[in-house]
Amino acid sequence: MPSKKTRRWFILGVALVAFVVLIANTGLWETGLRFLFPGETTVIHPRASLLVLVWEHIQLVAISSGITIILGIPLGIWVSRPSGRDFLPIVTDITSFGQTFPPVAVLALAVPVLGFGLMPTIAALFLYGLLPVVRNTIAGLHAVPSDLLDAAYGMGMSRLQALFRVELPLSARVILAGVRVSVIINIGTAMIGAVIGAGGLGSPIIAGLVRDNLAFIIEGALPAALLAILADQFLTNIENSLAYTNEPV
Amino acid sequence: MRRLINPDRVALTGSILGLASLLLGWLTLKPNRLAAGTSLNLSESLGQPGAMAIVVLWLLCLALSLVKLKRGRSIGLGITANILLILTLVLVGLASGRLLEGEPAAARVSLGTGFWVTLAATYTVIFAARRLLDGWHTWQNLVSFSGLVVLAFLLSVGWLNNISVMEEFSGYQQRFVQELLQHMRLFGISVAIGTVIGIPLGIWATRKKHAEKPVFFTTSIVQTIPSLALFGLLIAPLSAISFAFPVLRDIGIRGVGITPAIIALTIYSLLPVVRNTYVGIRQVDPAAIDAGLGMGMSRWQVFRRVEAPLAAPLVLEGVRTASVQAVGLATVAALIGAGGLGWFVFRGIGQAAPDLIVLGAIPVIILALLVDALMRTIVRLGTPKGLGGERR
């Protein structure tokens, strides 16, 4: 009898395959959208196939979230160590203050500084994505009970060993939750990146809004919604499959 | 000697950042609002004496952040940082007027990276000073807010009117007020509807076991959908409905515009409100409910006089999250013709006019911060006495 965990992964796998089949099948979209919008002359966005658009979108999010994770988690760890503790208040202050900033505004402000295209979008996604990752890393590490740490040191672990074998495993779920929030926000904000020329699933929607073509809008919106839901479920599954739980209150 | 030196690392970082910012471009002189323009360094921008004064003040900050800080010196650090901030603003205003003298009317002066990095650096120093002054509230507030007050004053007397963003503003003044009000309408209406629907949904989820899962599943799934996608998905069905029933068109319900915007923003507001209502009611101590029942209260009285007040802070916290989020998402609504401050952002992007983008984006951020501050106050006021201490 498969466990609940295996079943979850199985369902997600099936959903993922179904998603790829759906977006790869241009003929199906063509027929479906023609049926829904008989008045339009073109129903498929001519710039690129749906598969390419989804791939562009995933790349955009993967690059920015990748940099976020590579820099954000170490930053969160550093300010929780004695060597970086002086900076803890200002970092927590910036992360909570910065989360009040709307992601769209951050993206918009990247344009005057960095111009149009891929770079400002990646920079804005990276910067905004840092906030939840850093914040959850700090929160996760702080929620580790101090007696567990004492026990680790008592066993003769070095600081580094305690970090990798006690603190990080115990806070992994909280950190991953931060990564998930960051990735989901990035998928949404990357859509708007299409306005400044970053490509991705936002581009058929923008083209549809400009040309008043409802078919283009659906062609971008439906896969984008599915992509975000799948990414969310994927990361939730990873969170749930971690053995330790140590949620901060 | 050693006893005198005890660097505060945050203030030190701020001071070094501030000194580094002096090497960047400060002001950009552009022949018109769309051109790239030439970047000017500190002394070209602010003139020799002004530049010297700023360098000296930053060196003073650096020195103060190195010495052992007692309260008195922390105040000195805070004051120096504020003088720096104010002096920078005053000089930038002066310089923009001087640079535009003799230039054609289309010429613009915009703020460069150096200016923005200096702002970030002064904030870092002010933050450090604020922390060192822990417990001295008057000084803390003075150090934190005097720069902002002066900024507001300078803006209101028109001192910064020659800066390109402000010139853009004066060209769009009426439109700005109109879109600002539209923005507030968009998020205000949606959060209000979201709260009115969300609180009963949250309560329902606590009362009926079978309601819990579907309520959370739907609201959290919807929350992950990108805003632009949700707006897009609403347009087609709404325009179909409005074509089928012309009455709806007459009252303004159409595929694009304010209708899909408000529906989408309401949907996004649901999750924070529902989740916090649920958690808020669940975390009420069962002993408190028992006590209420034991006092002879009816089930309804227990809800109204025990559960509701005890859950109120968390529920309001949910409304706060929803509001801040809605301020940001309402910006995107401009793309589907609902107006709001996003109008400036996307028009600026369309025209490749950076100042117009800034004119939309900065007010959105300020609005989000104000709404956040306002809602925090409401949360505090809504917290029953005797409960506030534990939660914060």
Side-chain angles (χ1 to χ4, degrees), chain B residues 208-219:
Chain B
K208 298 274 181 295
K209 197 83 196 113
H210 63 122
E212 190 183 315
K213 263 201 168 159
V215 164
F216 278 97
F217 184 74
T218 336
T219 47

Side-chain angles (χ1 to χ4, degrees), chain B residues 261-343:
Chain B
I262 288 188
I263 296 179
L265 293 180
T266 304
I267 292 176
Y268 283 122
S269 308
L270 281 178
L271 178 67
V273 177
V274 170
R275 187 185 45 207
N276 279 37
T277 307
Y278 178 85
V279 176
I281 289 187
R282 270 296 160 91
Q283 51 98 48
V284 171
D285 191 350
I289 297 173
D290 274 348
L293 290 172
M295 281 169 71
M297 286 187 190
S298 69
R299 197 71 197 87
W300 167 248
Q301 279 175 319
V302 169
F303 172 72
R304 227 190 65 77
R305 304 188 49 185
V306 180
E307 287 179 290
L310 288 175
L314 266 172
V315 176
L316 290 172
E317 190 63 34
V319 179
R320 182 184 72 82
T321 314
S323 312
V324 172
Q325 179 186 268
V327 171
L329 292 173
T331 317
V332 186
L335 280 175
I336 56 165
L341 290 166
W343 186 85

Side-chain angles (χ1 to χ4, degrees), chain A residues 5-59:
Chain A
K5 228 180 256 177
T6 337
R7 211 171 59 219
R8 274 216 193 102
W9 280 109
F10 180 72
I11 295 173
L12 185 72
V14 172
L16 206 63
V17 172
F19 177 68
V20 175
V21 169
L22 179 73
I23 57 165
N25 202 333
T26 318
L28 183 72
W29 284 88
E30 175 99 43
T31 333
L33 290 171
R34 272 215 187 290
F35 171 74
L36 283 172
F37 307 102
E40 304 288 355
T41 42
T42 39
V43 290
I44 299 292
H45 187 45
R47 192 177 74 82
S49 76
L50 203 47
L51 208 55
V52 172
L53 290 175
V54 171
W55 181 236
E56 276 179 7
H57 206 90
I58 292 176
Q59 270 182 313

Side-chain angles (χ1 to χ4, degrees), chain B residues 135-207:
Chain B
W136 284 20
H137 291 296
T138 324
W139 280 107
Q140 267 191 334
N141 289 335
L142 206 66
V143 162
S144 316
F145 298 115
S146 48
L148 289 177
V149 171
V150 172
L151 173 63
F153 173 73
L154 288 177
L155 281 175
S156 66
V157 298
W159 186 264
L160 299 171
N161 276 0
N162 284 319
I163 303 290
S164 53
V165 181
M166 294 308 292
E167 289 213 32
E168 205 74 44
F169 172 69
S170 66
Y172 281 104
Q173 221 154 1
Q174 267 195 332
R175 182 90 202 209
F176 184 83
V177 176
Q178 187 190 326
E179 299 299 349
L180 178 66
L181 289 175
Q182 175 74 353
H183 203 98
M184 302 200 329
R185 257 198 300 277
L186 279 176
F187 86 80
I189 295 176
S190 349
V191 171
I193 303 176
T195 309
V196 169
I197 302 177
I199 292 180
L201 264 182
I203 296 174
W204 187 48
T206 58
R207 297 290 189 257

Side-chain angles (χ1 to χ4, degrees), chain A residues 83 86-87 93 102 108 214 228, chain B residues 9-10 13 123 127 131 224 357:
Chain A
S83 61
D86 285 356
F87 290 88
D93 204 50
L214 288 177
Chain B
R9 295 199 298 164
V10 177
T13 311
Y123 168 75
F127 183 88
R131 191 157 57 102
T224 57
I357 300 176

Side-chain angles (χ1 to χ4, degrees), chain B residues 85 92 101 142 212 286 301 309 372 379:
Chain B
L85 189 65
V92 159
E101 247 166 52
L142 206 66
E212 190 183 315
Q301 279 175 319
D372 184 59
V379 171

